[in-house]
Amino acid sequence: MSRFFVDAWDPAYGASFEASGGGPAAPSSAQVEADHELPAVDWRAIGPRAGVGAPDVVLLVDGVRRIDASLWTVEEDGGSYPGLAASYAAGVVRCDLERGAAQLVGARVGRGLFTASPSAADVRAGSVHYPVHRVSGSGELAKLPAAVQGPLTALEVAVSGAARTDRDLLVVDGPLRNRRQLPRTLGYVKTQHSQYLDARLTAVVTGLAPGERSPVFRLGTAWGGWSWYLRLPVARGAPWAGIVRVECSADLDVAEAVELADRSLVTLPRFASTPYKDPRAPQNLVPIAGLEKQLRRLLGDSRLLHRALTAAAHAATPAAPPAPATPPAPVAPPPGGGPV
């Protein structure tokens, strides 16, 4: 039997490295510039640099979303459109590293009805309001969950701005996407869907020891920017165990990106989770795990919301007109033609 590894993550959460159709070594089509911090021929693991310390305050931002119900509209022309009633929430955990304290400093909840229906209106399910978010295109049901990401990202940006202070470091769970304008901000990607580097540079990444990072490289995608890999504290096992990808804004120069990469290396490992506490250890950072639990509580009871949406749908459906009364059947006269 060939050598194999078991991913430390609970399979209910997928895998820490998700293979694409071409296998785990399938390359991304993104253009990669690897010669910025070090020439590609000199790539090697980089450890913590002398004099680089963690910031006094780290803000960790995350969002959660949930589909409360699937629904269908009925249009005047007889057509129909699928829709999703979704709830989402975003929050910020403030970690004061000097005091060793963490607290929730902001959380907001949003909801929406996502559909391409031109006639859809806001839905009120009891005391809960689902405003319409009209999506473009034909609005296939399978594509509607992705439409929730835009409002969720906007909510994350809003809560992030309300909690910031000078000289803090903001860590966003997931890619930065359209949050690249935020200062001193890192995108934290804990699941590796694509392999951006060639085989030789990938060998540097998979050979990282805990507490080491790769050199900074640049991705030439639509959401491109500076990026690097680092390995969190983890027992050695599968090649990608404990590996996360971190990114920062493409608007920074290479020196600024390297400075953030060095800062991430002395900051993120201290938040790594442990397997006996978290099924996605070590990548699911401890403050993020606690924040996710709190945000899911803020979304409310999914069963009650589903029941309220069902009641709202019934109330909005016109009652069928009553069936016309059936006249009594005539009584046949008795034999002989006498009176009845």
Side-chain angles (χ1 to χ4, degrees), residues 186 213 228 230 246 259-269:
L186 302 178
R213 69 170 177 87
W228 59 94
L230 65 83
V246 189
E259 181 181 353
L260 281 174
D262 287 338
R263 186 65 62 91
S264 73
L265 191 58
V266 297
T267 303
L268 296 178

Side-chain angles (χ1 to χ4, degrees), residues 19 28 35 55 61 108 115 123 132 143 181 194 216 228 232-233 268 283 291 314:
S28 167
D35 295 293
V61 181
R108 299 187 189 179
T115 181
V123 171
V132 170
K143 296 182 178 180
Q181 77 282 4
S194 301
V216 170
W228 59 94
L232 299 171
L268 296 178
Q283 288 98 315
L291 177 59
H314 288 164

Side-chain angles (χ1 to χ4, degrees), residues 322-328:
T326 303

Side-chain angles (χ1 to χ4, degrees), residues 58-186:
V58 180
L59 302 174
L60 295 105
V61 181
D62 194 15
V64 298
R65 58 184 181 178
R66 184 186 68 203
I67 305 304
D68 295 332
S70 299
L71 49 87
W72 293 84
T73 67
V74 178
E75 307 296 319
E76 291 185 358
D77 61 2
S80 183
Y81 290 88
L84 293 179
S87 296
Y88 48 94
V92 183
V93 176
R94 184 181 189 274
C95 298
D96 188 324
L97 302 186
E98 190 174 15
R99 295 191 302 115
Q103 65 180 125
L104 180 67
V105 293
R108 299 187 189 179
V109 176
R111 306 187 198 272
L113 170 61
F114 296 83
T115 181
S117 166
S119 67
D122 294 1
V123 171
R124 287 201 173 272
S127 61
V128 178
H129 181 214
Y130 291 85
V132 170
H133 292 261
R134 195 159 281 108
V135 303
S136 59
S138 57
E140 299 97 315
L141 184 60
K143 296 182 178 180
L144 291 179
V148 185
Q149 186 60 49
L152 174 56
T153 299
L155 203 60
E156 291 177 357
V157 171
V159 298
S160 301
R164 299 220 67 174
T165 59
D166 292 339
R167 300 177 62 185
D168 60 12
L169 180 67
L170 180 66
V171 180
V172 175
D173 191 54
L176 284 179
R177 296 191 176 95
N178 57 352
R179 294 167 288 198
R180 298 180 182 278
Q181 77 282 4
L182 301 175
R184 304 181 309 282
T185 300
L186 302 178

